[in-house]
Amino acid sequence: MENGYHEIPENAPEHCPGTQSESAGKSDACQGCPNQEACATAPKGPDPDLVAIAERMATVKHKILVLSGKGGVGKSTISAQLSFALAGMDYQVGLLDIDICGPSIPKMLGLEGQDIHQSNLGWSPVYLESNLGVMSIGFMLPNPDEAVIWRGPRKNGLIKQFLKDVYWGELDCLVVDAPPGTSDEHISIVQLLQVTGIDGAIIVTTPQEVSLIDVRKEVSFCKKVGVPVLGVIENMSGLQQSLTDFRFMKVTEIGEETDVTEWALQYMREKAPEMLDLVARGEVFDSSKGGAAKMCREMDVAFLGKVPMDPQLCKAAEEGRSCFADQKCGASAPALKRIIQTLVANWAVEASG
């Protein structure tokens, strides 16, 4: 960002310029602030923590942000499954959850109830496998139902702590799961990581225009702060599952439902057995305006592909497991694999270049 990273005290007024700003303690917003004198006389200069962060991140080859303009589009699911996939390809992977107020990564990796341990090297990530470590505020909450009610400065402080105090060791890739929108957390992670280099951001959306409106803002944010957009994933791109996984209902005019699944399946077995091998697809969201692919063409960013809404993927996320471990996620796993192979292929191109 143009003004650099300026630490803001928790008890600061609304328009605090930050302790490292040249106008610290001197601007109109500083009048009456209990920190005014300390800020005005404090030495100005680069944030010393940036050096510590640069040292920590020096052992991380690739850093990828997973962003979304809107909540509920499956961004954390994509982050989790991306991490599972890369670890399954024998890469050393770290997954950092900076969604301070809504940390869902511990559940999506089956790590609920785990604690963070500290060593002489710093905080140790929670390891799911020897090559997949995870860090989240979710591991720090005494009660998983407890709300995190923090203002921006405290959130920023924790993100900085995650970056400078967590000992990841040698990593091929650090995946950062960010909250939706373009909030304090986004500004902090970008400013703190830019000194070490960011590969770029994967942006997750759903097909309908109400989601794409916000995603356009996310793309614009990335361009303004100098973060390359690696591409956009259209998630929940139509409901897709085996015909035999559906429930069949008879519905009366007044809304009464009768389950006729067994009858329907038996009828198909007898009259049209080839139907039992079919996959059914339905458009859940309105994509008549072109969806993410059209938006990517308009904004000149890469379109990574579509991932269908797959009930088996939802189940895998709820159970904290990889969708690639078995053949159950027949609709979503192949689509995700193609996207991930594209990312890895780009790494190979970079390395050879």
Side-chain angles (χ1 to χ4, degrees):
M1 302 291 284
E2 292 85 359
N3 296 325
Y5 180 83
H6 299 321
E7 189 84 32
I8 298 177
E10 277 193 64
N11 59 346
E14 185 177 355
H15 300 292
C16 172
T19 58
Q20 294 298 311
S21 169
E22 290 300 323
S23 59
K26 304 169 186 175
S27 75
D28 292 341
C30 300
Q31 301 304 313
C33 174
N35 307 302
Q36 184 176 8
E37 184 177 348
C39 288
T41 57
K44 307 297 186 292
D47 185 344
D49 286 333
L50 292 180
V51 176
I53 291 170
E55 289 175 353
R56 285 291 192 196
M57 292 294 108
T59 59
V60 180
K61 292 179 184 175
H62 300 282
K63 306 169 195 74
I64 296 176
L65 307 181
V66 182
L67 309 176
S68 68
K70 197 171 190 65
V73 299
K75 171 187 52 58
S76 293
T77 299
I78 297 293
S79 297
Q81 297 303 325
L82 171 61
S83 301
F84 275 128
L86 291 173
M89 297 165 73
D90 292 328
Y91 288 104
Q92 291 288 335
V93 183
L95 175 53
L96 174 59
D97 180 8
I98 62 165
D99 192 345
I100 307 298
C101 295
S104 51
I105 287 299
K107 179 170 182 60
M108 289 189 173
L109 275 86
L111 295 173
E112 287 181 297
Q114 297 293 318
D115 295 319
I116 294 171
H117 299 286
Q118 195 158 9
S119 70
N120 59 338
L121 295 172
W123 288 350
S124 296
V126 176
Y127 282 91
L128 180 67
E129 303 286 349
S130 60
N131 65 333
L132 177 52
V134 184
M135 181 57 68
S136 170
I137 192 178
F139 299 135
M140 302 176 175
L141 301 177
N143 180 351
D145 297 329
E146 185 176 322
V148 179
I149 307 173
W150 288 4
R151 299 188 72 145
R154 194 171 178 191
K155 292 180 185 178
N156 298 342
L158 181 62
I159 291 170
K160 181 187 282 189
Q161 207 165 358
F162 278 158
L163 293 177
K164 73 183 180 71
D165 291 344
V166 175
Y167 179 69
W168 297 100
E170 298 279 342
L171 284 185
D172 291 303
C173 184
L174 178 66
V175 178
V176 181
D177 182 43
T182 53
S183 57
D184 282 349
E185 292 93 323
H186 298 76
I187 298 169
S188 293
I189 195 72
V190 168
Q191 290 176 329
L192 293 170
L193 278 182
Q194 271 182 333
V195 294
T196 70
I198 305 173
D199 284 52
I202 295 171
I203 300 177
V204 183
T205 184
T206 48
Q208 77 275 36
E209 194 63 25
V210 71
S211 177
L212 292 169
I213 288 170
D214 292 331
V215 170
R216 285 184 175 90
K217 296 172 185 172
E218 196 78 55
V219 173
S220 175
F221 167 83
C222 289
K223 290 181 177 180
K224 284 182 178 178
V225 298
V227 173
V229 177
L230 299 177
V232 176
I233 296 174
E234 184 177 282
N235 194 30
M236 306 184 198
S237 184
L239 173 65
Q240 187 170 314
Q241 61 179 348
S242 169
L243 197 61
T244 56
D245 287 338
F246 279 92
R247 307 297 299 176
F248 295 88
M249 314 295 293
K250 269 190 175 179
V251 183
T252 68
E253 292 181 358
I254 60 173
E256 293 178 340
E257 297 179 349
T258 304
D259 190 321
V260 294
T261 303
E262 285 304 317
W263 170 83
L265 293 176
Q266 185 60 34
Y267 187 88
M268 283 187 276
R269 289 188 197 104
E270 294 174 359
K271 304 295 184 181
E274 63 275 12
M275 290 185 66
L276 298 174
D277 295 327
L278 295 178
V279 172
R281 181 181 176 89
E283 297 300 323
V284 178
F285 298 115
D286 179 18
S287 59
S288 61
K289 294 188 178 179
K294 180 173 180 287
M295 182 209 73
C296 288
R297 289 193 298 272
E298 293 172 348
M299 301 198 75
D300 193 27
V301 294
F303 179 57
L304 292 175
K306 299 181 179 184
V307 179
M309 182 181 286
D310 181 354
Q312 291 297 330
L313 175 59
C314 299
K315 190 173 182 181
E318 284 288 308
E319 295 175 356
R321 56 183 174 82
S322 168
C323 74
F324 307 102
D326 50 41
Q327 303 301 312
K328 293 181 180 178
C329 300
S332 56
L336 282 165
K337 194 170 288 184
R338 283 194 298 272
I339 290 168
I340 292 159
Q341 286 171 344
T342 299
L343 292 171
V344 172
N346 290 340
W347 293 350
V349 171
E350 290 172 15
S352 63

